[in-house]
Amino acid sequence: MRKFFLCLLLLLIPSHAWAQGKVPILVYHFIDEFKGLGSKELYVTPENFEKQIRYLREHGFTLLPFERWQDIDKVNKPIFITFDDGYKNNLKAFDIFQKLRTEQFQPTGTIFVISDFIGQSIRLSESDIKKMVDSGIISIQSHTATHPDLTKIKDYDYELRKSKEKIQKITGKPVIALSYPYGNWNNKVVMETRKYYRFGLTTTPEAFTKKGIKDELYLLPRIYVKYSTTLDDFAKIVEGD
Ligand SMILES: [Zn+2]
């Protein structure tokens, strides 16, 4: 009888919950052709990006924003797509999300912008941000005000609070997540981040698994998708092989 209930229980639990419990959080920078500006590995071409999102669509992933963190245990194959630095070419990712959207598949992503850099020529403008947020497809979160190494500064109020307020003023939506510039953090940085945010994103290259440790939501790991990442590599990253 006990065995019967155990089997019943296993049938009721969504497969991902016991299969692995791993949640990949991906990080991108430029969604563009590489034309010589900056490091090539920080680019993913729009063509490759589209193939990757199609892969997620075909393999039953649910793309979540951090506002829906509580749903990681409820949806099929949860995954987070993030972009750092707020480059203008992230509009291409937005277009691809719109193009691949269906009733079943509602892609969402999170762009971490540097609030003092909004509107610079290679960065997103206030109207770009407004347009993406209003679509419900993109969430705009903070990557600080000026992109300092947070382990080396004193003025956390400016970098963390002011940047959050500035972004909220543009989007009209709560800013709840911070990605640490260069992925750098220490205990002081986590303590300061806690005052204003619910999530802190590092660049520790692994999928998230709940360990129940203190501050785990302020040490969220993220996996880079690079120029050289093939679709096979991508599949391995997201399936957790
Ligand atoms: Zn950055």
Side-chain angles (χ1 to χ4, degrees):
M1 200 58 182
R2 210 186 210 161
K3 244 185 196 153
F4 170 77
F5 280 114
L6 191 65
C7 289
L8 196 67
L9 193 66
L10 286 175
L11 282 173
L12 292 173
I13 299 172
S15 61
H16 65 273
W18 54 275
Q20 41 183 357
K22 282 186 191 169
V23 182
I25 307 171
L26 308 182
V27 57
Y28 294 86
H29 289 79
F30 300 94
I31 302 299
D32 211 349
E33 305 298 333
F34 177 66
K35 296 187 198 102
L37 175 74
S39 156
K40 190 172 184 180
E41 286 290 51
L42 292 179
Y43 284 74
V44 169
T45 65
E47 191 191 341
N48 282 347
F49 185 77
E50 183 169 337
K51 282 183 191 156
Q52 292 164 5
I53 303 306
R54 271 185 202 282
Y55 178 94
L56 299 178
R57 186 171 79 174
E58 282 158 19
H59 291 81
F61 282 84
T62 307
L63 281 58
L64 294 175
F66 291 92
E67 290 84 345
R68 291 185 60 200
W69 180 264
Q70 70 280 2
D71 292 348
I72 58 172
D73 296 322
K74 298 176 195 146
V75 302
N76 195 37
K77 297 173 88 169
I79 188 167
F80 292 78
I81 309 291
T82 75
F83 305 84
D84 272 6
D85 301 338
Y87 292 114
K88 192 111 188 153
N89 52 51
N90 292 1
L91 285 167
K92 293 179 184 170
F94 173 62
D95 290 343
I96 291 165
F97 281 163
Q98 276 184 314
K99 180 173 158 190
L100 298 183
R101 194 176 191 181
T102 64
E103 215 162 291
Q104 312 293 325
F105 183 71
Q106 307 271 334
T108 56
T110 303
I111 300 178
F112 289 96
V113 299
I114 305 158
S115 56
D116 278 6
F117 296 179
I118 293 167
Q120 289 181 353
S121 62
I122 61 162
R123 315 269 174 177
L124 296 165
S125 67
E126 288 196 19
S127 64
D128 296 331
I129 288 173
K130 197 90 186 77
K131 176 176 87 176
M132 290 193 288
V133 167
D134 289 348
S135 74
I137 292 174
I138 299 288
S139 170
I140 302 287
Q141 301 294 319
S142 175
H143 195 31
T144 73
T146 68
H147 207 270
D149 179 339
L150 290 174
T151 64
K152 299 207 167 86
I153 63 154
K154 300 243 148 45
D155 195 354
Y156 291 99
D157 186 72
Y158 188 73
E159 294 295 341
L160 303 186
R161 188 175 64 85
K162 289 270 171 50
S163 120
K164 172 185 159 120
E165 284 174 359
K166 183 171 176 182
I167 298 164
Q168 288 184 158
K169 219 169 162 190
I170 297 170
T171 63
K173 300 256 159 74
V175 169
I176 57 172
L178 176 79
S179 82
Y180 306 123
Y182 316 103
N184 288 353
W185 59 275
N186 58 21
N187 289 339
K188 169 79 177 159
V189 171
V190 169
M191 203 181 81
E192 292 294 331
T193 304
R194 269 187 165 301
K195 292 183 189 169
Y196 315 106
Y197 298 89
R198 286 169 50 205
F199 306 96
L201 286 291
T202 72
T203 49
T204 306
E206 60 190 29
F208 171 79
T209 44
K210 241 182 242 174
K211 297 180 186 110
I213 55 165
K214 185 177 171 271
D215 293 331
E216 67 184 342
L217 296 183
Y218 293 90
L219 301 173
L220 293 175
R222 284 190 301 174
I223 307 167
Y224 270 98
V225 182
K226 299 173 184 166
Y227 191 88
S228 60
T229 304
T230 65
L231 197 59
D232 266 4
D233 297 334
F234 182 80
K236 281 183 189 136
I237 291 170
V238 299
E239 305 288 0
D241 297 345

